[in-house]
Every structure is written in structure tokens, then in C-alpha cells.
Amino acid sequence: MESRELTAEELEKKKKKEEKAREKELKKLKAAQKAAAAKLQAQQPAAASKSEKKKNAKREAQEENPQDYVDPETPLGEKKKLARQMAKTYNPSAVENSWYEWWEKSNFFEADPKSSKPPFVIVLPPPNVTGALHIGHALTAAIEDTIIRWKRMSGYNTLWVPGMDHAGIATQVVVEKKLMREQKLTRHDVGRERFVDEVWKWKDEYGGTILKQLRRLGASLDWSRECFTMDEKRSRAVTEAFVRLHKEGLIYRDIRLVNWDCVLRTAISDIEVDYIDIKERTPLRVPGYGTPVEFGVLTSFAYPLEGDLGEIVVATTRVETMLGDTAIAIHPDDPRYKHLHGKFAVHPFNGRKLKIVCDSVLVDMKFGTGAVKITPAHDPNDFEVGKRHDLKFINIFTDDGKINTNGGEEFAGMPRFKAREAVTQALKEKGLYRGDKNNEMRLGICSRSNDVVEPLIKPQWYVNCKGMAEEGLNAVIDDTNPKLEIIPKQYVAEWQRWLENIRDWCISRQLWWGHRIPAWYVVLEDDQLKELGVYDNRWVVGRTEEEAQKEASRMFVGKKFQLFQDPDVLDTWFSSGLFPLSVLGWPDDTDDLKAFYPTSVLETGHDILFFWVARMVMMGMKLGGDVPFRKVYLHPMVRDAHGRKMSKSLGNVIDPLEVIRGVTLENLHKRLEEGNLDPNELKTAKEGQEKDFPKGIPECGADALRFALVSYTAQSDKINLDIQRVVGYRQWCNKLWNAIRFAMTKLGDDYTPPTEIDPASMPFSCKWILSVLNKAISKTVASLDSFEFSDAATAVYSWWQFQLCDVFIEVIKPYFTGNDPAFASARRSAQDTLWLCLDYGLRLLHPFMPFVTEELWQRLPSKIDSVRKESIVISEYPSVVKSWINDDVESEMDMIESVVKSLRSLRSQLPPNERLQRRAAIVRCRTNDACTIIMRHDLEIATLALLSSLTVLSENDDVPVGCLVDVVNESLSVFLKQGSINVEAELEKLRKKMEETQKQYDTLTKKTSAAGYQEKVPAHIRESDEAKLASLLQEILSFKEASEHLEHENPES
């Protein structure tokens, strides 16, 4: 099913039929040298076409050997062997086969640090080792490969470094699940050493799938420099960075509140917390609990006050945390509680005295009761209150989310949400429960485990970011010496907001997979307490244990001690932050580091501007002495066609490989079934797929997917990806294919391209296509330079589609009809121009669509006296040729195309069975210049508009009756001959057009007549307005003339 795209093929067949019909019709045209009528009449020889048909039929019969259209098998890594004949239709899987392996084996992607070419470097954002290619990766690869291929072809020493991230949490979760599934064991059952061995085995067997998939997209990465954040060189860089930053006092250890995941038993970063908005009482499934847990509930209860002062009522959404309360906060100006300043409440379960503290920062006396329970060890706001008022910090949770002994014997050992129920019940029994109500809230969920995040106080390692953040901020906003540019500029404000309000970075994680922290705890022989970390001043840091041993000996002279390495690992973002340095060999002063640092561009998603980009800038400037890249381009986030975030439960996740290869609806469903959706989610997801992909996804190929993604980048901060647009570009590849097939038949087997071209001696259409090609090159390069990738793609597409295929290829067809000696020179010029356009056009398009352009470029004939590059990959990117610029020719073609557009519009009004028939047409000109141009280009107009004859009349000439009419502009009107017309309908169309033009005229007249117009409006704008008014007035007169002409044909008028 996925290999048959019925609608598209039917469309292609229809297009081919129309093209054949046009070609047959054009064969009837024969050139003449004088009057237009003579030219056109001479091109309708009926008898000659019969012998021509016989020859063609005989030739086609000889050529129809199916094997001639099939590519021979190519040994892996060798240059692709192409079929003798081009296949009749474009087949992405056949075209995209074999090229990549040859490119890679030929070392086209390898950079040379000794090269004299200017360097251009991109580091691929390292995908997670656990990952498979998703549409976000595909967007990254499409944009970065477009940049790299363009720069490579433009003479740069390009380096695009591939790498993988060890993805601490994600990888550990995957391997833990595998252990449980296959052996029914937890990581604690097997122990740390064996578990880490299991992870390495998994990485070697399954990790890195995504890098193989990037090859399928055509990503021209330098695979000789492939790296992994936990390989030996990168690990050494991580250790070196930690040691250097610690020596400078920028890395330190402290006890603070962290986001804690009770399932993974580790601190997690802010980016790993997803927030869900809860409007009211809502039951949610939480890992480890058999029944749903209720959230969105505000519970009120009373604390008894000491000294018979009554009670004070507080409210909370996490009633279990009251077991760790150490104070109650009130506003100092609240008259209700003036008498309680400095007093105490009593904890009902353990008798602990809770101080009543006055805090105007936290407490809003208008909210609730105006009294707030304070749990400094389990809430970020309460933590700050605890520090301000020197309160006790009591942790009541174990690492796996159970109540510990600090919570009291009655609740110890209970899972936290079971304790929620038990504490509520106990409060009721003590008569302290005051009810509950719905409460709107945001709930933090770990994106890795789906566990509810618990704020927990823990000793962790931190990086002091303040000074580095200031440098990173100035690198962007310093007007006098900016070192780094962020594109689009809208994100500079976000950069400023993050770095001006930066907090110190928690870099330790309680995982087993990752870079072990190079810090050791010193336990002295005579220590009373020997638990790890119990004394704050016992940590030593070193590159190796031997270094740590020396440091400990220096600190504790003459004392006996033991060293124990910190069991924690570093946050994955720490090694990612070093990536631009470490991939080039830092801390060693390598050739790569000298040649390629700083890199040129970082291209990534705007969602990790702070978590990754800012950290790379801070660490790069601190450890590498300069920003790690000169520009940052932030691409949009990819959503589905309806603007929804891609989610497995919605069934709208798009796998790039399924778009490339095609997939049936049945197989899309199968992928969902293999996931872990519950039955309701599975039903919703399947319904979503049936709605969006009723026939599955047709095979589109990598080129079409890449081009679609790059074209979408104009969509602000989100891309609403519609697969039908990708399908459209796949059909466009077929258009390219057919253009080359046509060209090959017109060039012939013996054609050799010219050494140079002189447009001055060429026919009009050749001058025009070279001039507009120049404009397309200029626009494409300028757009790529300014990171306007969508504009670049549009410039290339528009030239190929609307100028080369729709106009030039059509307009030169008469030159190849028969062997009229009158067209010999024009025919040769058309061949040379066609070859030049295809060569330039394919090279212009190559960075966007590498596979199809290589295949087609390899089929083009080569110049005799020059050695062509082995591959389009390393050929030269087109640049503007000044001698091709011809504004006059372009202006004339604009007029021709306007006339043709109007004639085609009239043709579309004919009954369907008459639309392909050739008809006579008339152009009436109101100026001598227009008359001259139209008469000079009657052949082009007749060819493009499919006319049997074209008559050019002056303003005073009468137009024959029985014509459809349209006004082109103020100088031109066109008439298409028709036997009988519906005069009333035609008059109505003209009236509507005239009304629209009259509106424009009235609006502009009002503007130019306004008070102060002459004084305030610049002269050049007044002149432009004046010219526009004259033009509009002439158009209105033309509409009136056309209407009068039609009215003369109406017998009732």
C-alpha cells in the first residue's frame, strides 16, 4: 500500500498526457522569419507528422528494454552504477540507494586541520544514545546539512562533528527495565559494577542507532571524528573541567533543596520536570501505587497553640509534609495574629514546638487564613523562610519516597501518598481536620519516570555560575564587541532573562551510569562518625585517586585515613556543556582544537537555550578562552498539522524513516500496539492516525522530507508539519526528474557543453532564463547567509518550478520541432542554455536535496576540455555571473507572462472538453512600446498559451466578435476566440474586476488629496503614487472598452 500513491500517479499520468498533447500540438508549429501569421501557419504541417510518428514509434520500440531502466547492482562503497536509460518516473528508494556509502568511503566529508581553506565548523547536538530518529532530529539534520553542504561547495574546510550523549537517566531507565523484564532483577540486586557493565553491553549492541539513521537522511558528517560523551577522551575532559573549576572555587558542595525522583532515587534537572495544570480534584496514576492518587485538593487543619491561646488554621495540598513542619508564618501587619508574635504552636503527633514567625515576603494576609505552615526541607519557598528565620530543616522522606523515622513511628515506612491518607485520618481523629476543597495547582512530573517530583533537601555539588553567566551575557549584548549572535533575535531577551537571574547549578546525580564525580571523602582513623559526607570539610578532588591521596596527605599531615569516592555521577548537561571543546581534543592542544575552535555555528532547538547553549558558552569561555561558536541559530519546535505537540497517546508522532520509506495505516497501528499505551489511549491514538493518515504515509524519500522541513523554518517558533506538503515535494522531485529526461532527449548523445557562453548572441528566452537564474542564485546565497532557510528553499524551488520548467522548457520546444534551418542557431543556444541551467540548478539545489541532485548531475554531459569534479558534493556552489544580468529582458518576459496568464485564465473558462484545443487570440495594445514587445514575442506567447494564431492590434483596431476578453494591465487587453459566449456572464466578471480597480483608485485618490500630503510625503513616494493613479485610471478605461466590446455582441443591447 505504501509503495502505491494512486492519486499522485494519476495526477502524473494526467500531466504526462497533457504534456504529450502539448508536444504534439507544438510539432504542428513551424518557424518563419517575417510576420507572425506566417511563422505560426508554417508550423502546422499535417503530412510531415505521420512519418515523424513512425520514426518515433520505431525508435521507442527499439529502446523499450526494461533492463535499460534498472540500475545495475553497485558494490558497497563504490560509485553508483546508473541504468543506461533514466527511469520513466522518479523512485526515491532507487535514487537514494548507494550514493551515501560512496560519499563516505570517498572521504568527501572529512575535514583537514592543515588545510589552507577557511574553516567552517558545526557540532551536531549529540542525540541520546537511547534514541531513535524523531522529527526534531530530522529537522536539525536537514538544516545543518544544508549549511554544511553549501559551505563545503563554497570553498570552506567544513567540519561537522557527530557524537552521542550517554544520557544518564534515560539510559539507566532503559537498562533497568531490560533487567527487570529479562531477569526480574533491580540494579540494586546486581550491584553497581555489574549494572554499569550491563549498560556498556547495551550501548555497544543497541546504542547509536540514531547515527546510522542520520546517514539515511544524507547527513554529511565527518564520521572519522565520531565521539561519545563517555569515551576515554571525553571522560578525561570532564574530569579536567571539574578539577579546574573546583580549584578556582567555582565548584563547591552544599545542602540545598533539589527536584527528587523517588522512583529513580536521584536529583533531576529542571528540564526533566514536566508540569501539568490541575484545575480541580483529579485522580492520577503514580508509579508504585495500585490505585490513583488524588491531586488538586487543599486540606485545612488546625495546630493547637501553646498556652491555651486556642488554635491556628493552615491549609496545604501536601498534608503529609506537616510531619516535617518547623514553623508557622504570618504577616507582621495582620491584626488577627498580633497577639501571636513570638509564640508557639504544638505539633499534634510529636509535641514539637513550632515557632510563629513574621514573614512579609511569603505571606499574603488576604489569602486563606493568612497563616502558612512551613516545611523548610520540602518546599522551595519554605526553604527560603527557613534560612531567613534560622529554622530547623527536617527531612521526613527516604530516597524512595517513604516516611522516615523523623516522620514519627505511626507513619514511618509508609509511601508518601499513603501517608497523605493516614495523616488526614489521624487529624480527623484528633479533631483538628477542618475540611478540604478543590484547588487549582501545577504538578511537577519527571519526564523520565512519570513520578511526581518531591522537593528534597540533599547535599550536592554545585557550580557557581554568576561570574561565568555575566561573561556569557556580555558576549551577546555588548554593543561594542559582541562575540556571539543569537538568531532569531527574539531569543536575546530570553538569554538575558536566564543569565541575569541565574542560580547555581546542581551538577550531581544519584545514578550509576555517568561520569563518576572525581571527589573522594576522607575518613580519619579516629573519626567518631564514619558515614560518607558527615563532615563537610573532608572532601578532596583529583584527576585520579593517586592525586586525591596526595591532596589528603597534604591536608591531614601525619594522620591515617581512608578514601571513599563519591558514589554520585555528574549531570549529563555537564559533559554536554563541554562538547564543543571535548570533541576537538581539549584539554590537549590538538591540531583540531587549534584549527576549529571556536566553531562557527550552533544550530539547535530554542527549548534548550539555557540548559545547553548557555552552559556551553559559560564553560567554553571559562575553559577554552573564547565563546564556543560565533552564531547560534534556534530552530522551531515541530508540531503536528493541527499544531498539537507530538505525543504517543495522540498517535501523532511522526517517524522520519516512515515518511522516507512509506508505511501503511496497519503498520502505524502496529507501532502503537507495541508501545505501552493503556486501552483508552490506544483507541484515541488509532483514531488520530486514521484521521490524519487514512491511507498510511506514501513513500516520500529523504530529499522531499528534508526540503519540506527546511521550507517550514519560516513558521516562527513552531512548525505545524503536514505530511501532504512532504508528499507535494516528492511529486516535485518527479518534475525535476522529467525536466532532466526532457533535456537529455534534446541534448542528444553527442552533445558537448560549450567552454563559455555569451548571452548577447542568444535568443530572448535564453537571455531571460540566465538572468533570472542569476537572481535565484543571489537570493539563495543571501538567504543562506542570513539563516533564512525557508526563503533560500523558496528561491531555488521557484526558479526550477516556475521559470525553468513552466516557462523555459516549454518555450524552447518549437526549436526542436523538425530540423528547420531557421532555428539551427536558436536550437544550439537552447541546448547550451539548458545544459547550463541544469548544471547550475542542480548545484544550487544540492545542499537541500543531496540524493536526487547527485543522481541527475552525474547524468549530465561534461565539458571536453575540463576535468569535472568526481561528485556534486565537492563541486563549486553557483555564484552570480554579472554578464547574465538583463533587466530589460526580464521586464519584457514579465509582460509576456502577464499576457499568457490572462489567456490561460480565459481558456480555463471554456468547457473542459475544449480547453486543450488551440484557439486564435488577439492582443490589443494601447502603447507603441507594448505593441513592439508583443509582436516581437508572438512565438513565445503562442507557445506558452497554446494558440493557433496570435494577432496584435493597436488601440484603434476593431476586435472580431465572439471573443472572451480580459484586461491584462493599463496597456494591454487580450481576446480569446470562441464560437459563442455568455455575454452577461462575461460582463459580470469585468464589472467585478473594474469595481476592485475603482476601489484601489478611490483609496489612493483619497490618500493623495489628504491635508498635508504634499508637504509631508517624500517626493519619490508622491511620484510613485501619481504613476499608480495614472495606471489604475487607464485600467478602468480598458475595462470600460472591453465592456463596450461585449455589449456590441449582445443582440439585446
Side-chain angles (χ1 to χ4, degrees):
M1 185 174 176
E2 62 268 32
S3 62
R4 289 185 70 233
E5 187 194 330
L6 293 176
T7 311
E9 284 182 14
E10 283 171 358
L11 273 171
E12 286 301 330
K13 282 179 185 175
K14 189 179 174 187
K15 279 183 190 170
K16 280 164 90 179
K17 276 183 186 175
E18 286 175 4
E19 281 177 16
K20 280 185 181 175
R22 278 186 203 162
E23 215 160 350
K24 281 178 186 173
E25 293 289 349
L26 286 166
K27 281 175 186 173
K28 294 174 186 174
L29 291 169
K30 211 174 183 183
Q33 293 173 317
K34 295 182 182 179
K39 282 185 197 170
L40 296 161
Q41 197 174 1
Q43 291 193 34
Q44 297 177 23
S49 64
K50 287 185 181 177
S51 59
E52 196 69 22
K53 281 180 187 173
K54 281 182 183 177
K55 282 181 188 174
N56 287 340
K58 190 176 179 183
R59 187 164 63 245
E60 282 172 17
Q62 288 170 345
E63 287 174 0
E64 283 299 319
N65 178 358
Q67 283 308 306
D68 286 348
Y69 296 90
V70 178
D71 293 329
E73 193 171 328
T74 302
L76 191 69
E78 287 189 16
K79 187 172 182 179
K80 187 173 180 180
K81 299 179 191 302
L82 298 176
R84 196 175 75 82
Q85 297 287 339
M86 281 181 71
K88 293 183 178 178
T89 55
Y90 166 74
N91 178 341
S93 56
V95 168
E96 293 174 4
N97 187 34
S98 299
W99 287 120
Y100 195 92
E101 292 77 14
W102 174 59
W103 292 334
E104 191 177 338
K105 193 177 177 184
S106 303
N107 301 325
F108 293 149
F109 308 154
E110 280 191 27
D112 177 9
K114 303 294 186 188
S115 171
S116 59
K117 293 179 181 179
F120 187 88
V121 188
I122 298 179
V123 173
L124 177 77
N128 287 353
V129 68
T130 54
L133 195 70
H134 63 59
I135 207 74
H137 295 128
L139 176 63
T140 296
I143 294 171
E144 292 184 18
D145 197 38
T146 297
I147 300 170
I148 281 288
R149 286 180 183 270
W150 163 54
K151 287 291 186 180
R152 185 184 291 121
M153 294 173 77
S154 301
Y156 285 81
N157 179 26
T158 53
L159 170 59
W160 187 16
V161 190
M164 274 189 307
D165 194 287
H166 64 279
I169 292 178
T171 309
Q172 180 157 314
V173 168
V174 166
V175 178
E176 282 196 72
K177 283 181 178 175
K178 183 174 181 283
L179 268 178
M180 181 53 68
R181 187 172 61 248
E182 294 175 2
Q183 301 177 41
K184 296 287 182 283
L185 295 172
T186 68
R187 65 180 162 118
H188 302 283
D189 294 331
V190 300
R192 182 168 190 151
E193 196 174 330
R194 191 182 144 200
F195 178 77
V196 171
D197 285 344
E198 287 290 326
V199 182
W200 276 109
K201 278 183 204 166
W202 180 89
K203 184 260 172 191
D204 293 338
E205 191 172 348
Y206 301 106
T209 302
I210 196 165
L211 296 182
K212 298 184 186 80
Q213 293 170 328
L214 284 168
R215 287 173 164 91
R216 182 63 191 87
L217 265 174
S220 58
L221 291 146
D222 184 346
W223 296 106
S224 68
R225 288 174 167 83
E226 182 185 335
C227 58
F228 177 51
T229 50
M230 273 187 65
D231 64 27
E232 191 180 337
K233 286 182 181 176
R234 264 44 66 177
S235 295
R236 193 162 73 83
V238 166
T239 299
E240 182 67 27
F242 188 97
V243 171
R244 287 193 194 183
L245 293 174
H246 182 265
K247 271 189 177 171
E248 280 198 47
L250 294 174
I251 286 182
Y252 63 94
R253 192 170 170 84
D254 196 9
I255 298 174
R256 292 188 186 176
L257 212 58
V258 296
N259 296 317
W260 188 262
D261 185 305
C262 299
V263 170
L264 300 173
R265 304 187 201 181
T266 180
I268 58 175
S269 70
D270 290 346
I271 200 172
E272 285 150 342
V273 181
D274 293 335
Y275 289 94
I276 56 173
D277 291 313
I278 293 172
K279 300 292 182 190
E280 57 186 4
R281 195 180 301 260
T282 307
L284 295 175
R285 292 203 167 275
V286 178
Y289 292 83
T291 54
V293 177
E294 209 168 51
F295 295 94
V297 180
L298 188 70
T299 301
S300 296
F301 67 93
Y303 270 120
L305 291 164
E306 194 177 46
D308 295 327
L309 290 171
E311 64 180 30
I312 189 165
V313 177
V314 294
T316 177
T317 55
R318 298 159 64 215
V319 72
E320 68 281 5
T321 61
M322 63 87 65
L323 300 173
D325 283 358
T326 57
I328 293 164
I330 56 172
H331 196 284
D333 301 332
D334 193 332
R336 292 171 294 178
Y337 302 122
K338 283 280 185 189
H339 64 295
L340 296 182
H341 290 196
K343 305 295 184 184
F344 292 87
V346 180
H347 202 289
F349 300 134
N350 54 38
R352 185 164 59 240
K353 289 171 72 172
L354 309 180
K355 188 177 180 182
I356 310 291
V357 297
C358 294
D359 198 292
S360 59
V361 178
L362 176 75
V363 181
D364 177 359
M365 57 179 146
K366 294 174 187 171
F367 183 78
T369 63
V372 181
K373 62 183 280 302
I374 303 298
T375 322
H378 295 292
D379 181 273
N381 293 321
D382 294 4
F383 179 83
E384 296 301 327
V385 174
K387 287 202 295 185
R388 283 197 292 273
H389 297 279
D390 197 22
L391 302 175
K392 273 189 176 180
F393 289 73
I394 299 173
N395 175 28
I396 60 163
F397 293 123
T398 60
D399 287 355
D400 59 350
K402 293 187 174 74
I403 303 297
N404 64 20
T405 53
N406 291 336
E409 285 182 17
E410 189 179 346
F411 307 105
M414 283 186 186
R416 56 189 164 146
F417 297 126
K418 292 292 181 189
R420 179 173 294 183
E421 297 169 8
V423 168
T424 302
Q425 185 57 38
L427 286 169
K428 287 177 180 177
E429 289 169 4
K430 288 184 177 288
L432 298 171
Y433 179 75
R434 297 292 178 266
D436 63 33
K437 63 178 182 179
N438 286 346
N439 183 70
E440 198 170 320
M441 64 180 290
R442 291 186 84 208
L443 189 67
I445 305 287
C446 175
S447 60
R448 304 295 180 185
S449 66
N450 290 324
D451 190 25
V452 175
V453 173
E454 193 65 56
L456 215 61
I457 195 162
K458 285 277 183 184
Q460 303 282 337
W461 292 96
Y462 288 87
V463 178
N464 180 342
C465 297
K466 197 171 186 330
M468 291 191 288
E470 200 172 319
E471 282 192 47
L473 178 59
N474 289 335
V476 173
I477 66 169
D478 184 349
D479 292 334
T480 55
N481 184 29
K483 295 180 178 178
L484 177 62
E485 182 183 3
I486 295 177
I487 304 162
K489 290 191 185 302
Q490 70 202 56
Y491 292 108
V492 172
E494 192 174 327
W495 180 264
Q496 196 164 348
R497 191 177 71 252
W498 274 111
L499 294 187
E500 283 179 346
N501 299 292
I502 199 162
R503 293 180 298 177
D504 286 0
W505 172 18
C506 173
I507 55 169
S508 44
R509 298 289 179 268
Q510 291 63 50
L511 301 170
W512 289 355
W513 173 246
H515 296 101
R516 189 89 174 260
I517 290 177
W520 283 261
Y521 183 73
V522 180
V523 177
L524 300 176
E525 189 179 41
D526 53 359
D527 278 345
Q528 286 185 336
L529 302 172
K530 298 189 184 287
E531 291 90 351
L532 189 92
V534 71
Y535 299 112
D536 292 340
N537 61 347
R538 294 292 181 78
W539 290 97
V540 291
V541 168
R543 293 169 183 83
T544 61
E545 189 167 354
E546 290 71 32
E547 242 185 62
Q549 191 88 27
K550 282 180 187 174
E551 179 63 13
S553 298
R554 188 190 63 76
M555 285 172 65
F556 304 101
V557 180
K559 294 190 177 181
K560 289 185 178 179
F561 59 80
Q562 282 182 289
L563 291 183
F564 297 92
Q565 188 172 0
D566 191 332
D568 291 354
V569 299
L570 284 162
D571 178 13
T572 303
W573 295 102
F574 189 86
S575 52
S576 302
L578 290 169
F579 210 58
L581 282 167
S582 65
V583 296
L584 298 174
W586 186 89
D588 298 330
D589 192 22
T590 62
D591 288 343
D592 274 7
L593 192 66
K594 285 184 274 194
F596 301 124
Y597 189 88
T599 67
S600 309
V601 175
L602 175 79
E603 189 281 336
T604 189
H606 64 76
D607 56 328
I608 51 174
L609 179 63
F610 171 71
F611 292 100
W612 188 40
V613 183
R615 285 165 177 171
M616 281 190 286
V617 170
M618 290 191 295
M619 294 174 89
M621 292 181 82
K622 172 58 69 176
L623 300 168
D626 201 349
V627 290
F629 22 75
R630 295 296 180 204
K631 292 178 191 289
V632 176
Y633 173 77
L634 301 165
H635 66 236
M637 298 293 100
V638 186
R639 302 294 176 100
D640 72 4
H642 314 290
R644 299 173 305 175
K645 195 172 179 179
M646 291 196 181
S647 152
K648 288 176 184 174
S649 59
L650 291 173
N652 63 349
V653 173
I654 295 171
D655 179 345
L657 294 182
E658 289 177 345
V659 179
I660 291 170
R661 295 190 294 241
V663 63
T664 61
L665 179 61
E666 183 186 0
N667 283 338
L668 284 172
H669 283 349
K670 191 175 175 186
R671 174 159 60 82
L672 288 176
E673 288 159 4
E674 288 167 356
N676 56 359
L677 299 178
D678 67 38
N680 287 334
E681 287 177 327
L682 184 61
K683 182 173 178 287
T684 304
K686 282 186 173 181
E687 285 169 358
Q689 287 184 339
E690 283 161 12
K691 185 179 175 184
D692 287 345
F693 315 115
K695 295 181 180 178
I697 299 172
E699 179 191 20
C700 293
D703 282 331
L705 175 61
R706 288 169 57 122
F707 201 85
L709 289 170
V710 170
S711 299
Y712 263 121
T713 52
Q715 284 190 9
S716 65
D717 60 344
K718 293 183 188 72
I719 286 173
N720 295 345
L721 179 63
D722 186 350
I723 291 301
Q724 287 312 306
R725 187 158 167 185
V726 186
V727 173
Y729 286 123
R730 182 244 181 271
Q731 290 163 355
W732 184 62
C733 287
N734 199 59
K735 187 94 172 177
L736 293 180
W737 191 262
N738 287 336
I740 304 293
R741 283 190 80 227
F742 168 83
M744 301 309 272
T745 62
K746 300 311 170 202
L747 295 178
D749 296 337
D750 302 326
Y751 174 78
T752 53
T755 51
E756 57 182 52
I757 277 181
D758 176 22
S761 61
M762 289 185 159
F764 168 79
S765 57
C766 298
K767 291 176 185 175
W768 170 77
I769 193 65
L770 291 179
S771 188
V772 292
L773 171 57
N774 239 356
K775 291 249 175 87
I777 292 168
S778 177
K779 176 66 176 170
T780 304
V781 171
S783 299
L784 288 171
D785 257 330
S786 57
F787 293 83
E788 301 287 350
F789 301 107
S790 179
D791 289 351
T794 301
V796 182
Y797 176 90
S798 298
W799 178 82
W800 269 98
Q801 178 71 36
F802 305 123
Q803 295 174 324
L804 185 73
C805 292
D806 287 357
V807 178
F808 183 71
I809 282 178
E810 294 302 321
V811 92
I812 63 172
K813 283 179 178 176
Y815 300 154
F816 297 95
T817 304
N819 284 309
D820 192 323
F823 281 145
S825 172
R827 189 182 306 118
R828 178 66 203 191
S829 291
Q831 285 178 314
D832 292 346
T833 307
L834 185 58
W835 175 86
L836 195 73
C837 283
L838 297 177
D839 175 53
Y840 269 68
L842 289 170
R843 286 186 284 128
L844 193 65
L845 179 60
H846 176 72
F848 304 89
M849 288 184 158
F851 294 105
V852 71
T853 50
E854 178 76 278
E855 176 115 352
L856 295 174
W857 190 78
Q858 292 289 350
R859 286 193 175 274
L860 291 182
S862 302
K863 293 178 183 176
I864 287 178
D865 62 340
S866 64
V867 179
R868 189 164 82 156
K869 295 283 188 183
E870 199 178 355
S871 166
I872 195 171
V873 171
I874 51 171
S875 65
E876 190 178 333
Y877 202 69
S879 54
V880 170
V881 182
K882 285 186 179 175
S883 63
W884 293 357
I885 298 168
N886 197 324
D887 291 335
D888 292 341
V889 162
E890 287 190 47
S891 177
E892 287 188 20
M893 184 56 96
D894 287 345
M895 185 183 287
I896 291 166
E897 288 191 272
S898 297
V899 169
V900 170
K901 185 182 175 184
S902 289
L903 287 168
R904 284 176 176 169
S905 175
L906 294 177
R907 182 182 290 282
S908 70
Q909 297 168 28
L910 296 171
N913 60 334
E914 294 180 26
R915 285 177 195 165
L916 285 176
Q917 294 173 13
R918 287 187 173 279
R919 292 185 175 275
I922 297 150
V923 178
R924 179 193 262 171
C925 310
R926 286 175 194 82
T927 66
N928 289 335
D929 286 349
C931 222
T932 305
I933 291 168
I934 299 302
M935 288 179 78
R936 191 160 62 226
H937 301 302
D938 55 353
L939 176 60
E940 285 87 355
I941 294 170
T943 303
L944 292 170
L946 212 65
L947 305 177
S948 60
S949 68
L950 180 67
T951 306
V952 181
L953 300 178
S954 71
E955 192 171 10
N956 301 320
D957 295 327
D958 289 332
V959 177
V961 295
C963 291
L964 296 172
V965 59
D966 192 21
V967 175
V968 179
N969 54 37
E970 74 277 13
S971 304
L972 298 166
S973 295
V974 293
F975 303 83
L976 188 67
K977 193 73 176 159
Q978 188 186 16
S980 60
I981 59 172
N982 183 336
V983 175
E984 278 306 315
E986 292 305 307
L987 280 168
E988 183 58 29
K989 286 174 193 169
L990 284 175
R991 274 189 211 109
K992 283 183 180 175
K993 287 186 177 181
M994 188 158 69
E995 279 173 16
E996 184 56 41
T997 307
Q998 185 71 51
K999 269 186 200 172
Q1000 291 177 38
Y1001 180 80
D1002 293 344
T1003 303
L1004 193 53
T1005 302
K1006 189 177 177 183
K1007 173 189 166 185
T1008 56
S1009 306
Y1013 173 81
Q1014 293 294 333
E1015 297 80 19
K1016 294 176 185 174
V1017 176
H1020 70 280
I1021 294 178
R1022 294 202 308 272
E1023 284 170 20
S1024 173
D1025 288 346
E1026 201 175 312
K1028 181 69 176 169
L1029 274 174
S1031 171
L1032 289 168
L1033 186 59
Q1034 188 57 59
E1035 272 190 53
I1036 292 164
L1037 293 172
S1038 299
F1039 280 123
K1040 285 178 179 172
E1041 279 180 25
S1043 299
E1044 285 168 13
H1045 168 76
L1046 283 171
E1047 282 165 356
H1048 286 317
E1049 296 195 22
N1050 192 344
E1052 295 175 14
S1053 63

